[in-house]
Amino acid sequence: EQLNKRGSKGIRGLGRTFRALDSFDGNKKVDKQEFVIGLRENGVTMNQQEFQVLFNYFDKDGDGTVCFDEFLVGVRGKPNSRRQVFIDKAFLKFDRDGNGYIDAADLRGVYDCSFHPKVQKGEMTEDQALMEFLQNFNDRNRDGRINRDEWNEYYAGVSSSIDNDEHFVQLMKTAWRIE
């Protein structure tokens, strides 16, 4: 609640702090000690027990670390209904065959990889560029397909970094050419 009141500046500041704390190993996660330091450096005051409860809440997989994106989404919450409508529209635009996931076959004809710099240089095929593109969307199990949960999780992260609903909606409309 303390961070949310500070809006995107507080959350961006927290992200910068966490990235700085993570600079030792670059795994994009922080352990409990780093977590507590990061929150304190951003003006969050709690006792040790409260920090432990909060850390356990964000440590979804119980591995003793917290992922940045999960933390930011946890602080901001899921996208509101207006934002979710555009997240859903974009998913449905890409899920051309309606099977509930997006794969390279769905992207062909919707996303043109022929202009990708590595494709142009002959360093990568268009299929490889499509797979690389898909991996940006939280393909957690690396199966080359993005299901609705993975898509929503990715866009919850994007949404958490944009305060203004209209800005988010415009971003989605422009990026994916949807109305």
Side-chain angles (χ1 to χ4, degrees), residues 55-93:
F55 183 83
N56 290 344
Y57 170 78
F58 288 111
D59 183 15
K60 298 291 185 196
D61 60 5
D63 70 349
T65 63
V66 174
C67 170
F68 296 145
D69 290 339
E70 289 174 334
F71 182 75
L72 292 177
V73 170
V75 169
R76 276 315 235 339
K78 296 190 183 275
N80 64 34
S81 60
R82 181 158 187 239
R83 292 177 184 218
Q84 191 63 50
V85 164
F86 286 90
I87 293 168
D88 293 342
K89 283 182 178 184
F91 184 86
L92 294 172
K93 178 177 182 173

Side-chain angles (χ1 to χ4, degrees), residues 1 4 12 24 30 43 63 71-72 74 82 94 103 110 116 133 139 148-149 160 171 173:
E1 184 178 311
N4 237 344
R12 277 196 301 268
F24 297 110
V30 294
D63 70 349
F71 182 75
L72 292 177
R82 181 158 187 239
F94 283 105
D103 60 14
V110 178
H116 189 291
F133 177 75
D139 184 10
R148 183 67 74 108
D149 288 340
S160 72
L171 170 87
K173 285 180 172 182

Side-chain angles (χ1 to χ4, degrees), residues 20-66:
L21 290 170
D22 180 50
S23 64
F24 297 110
D25 61 13
N27 70 352
K28 298 185 179 181
K29 294 183 176 188
V30 294
D31 62 25
K32 183 180 174 209
Q33 181 180 358
E34 293 168 331
F35 180 82
V36 171
I37 291 168
L39 289 175
R40 284 189 175 143
E41 286 181 1
N42 280 273
V44 175
T45 54
M46 294 183 190
N47 64 39
Q48 278 304 115
Q49 184 179 0
E50 290 169 325
F51 275 123
Q52 184 63 52
V53 168
L54 189 59
F55 183 83
N56 290 344
Y57 170 78
F58 288 111
D59 183 15
K60 298 291 185 196
D61 60 5
D63 70 349
T65 63
V66 174

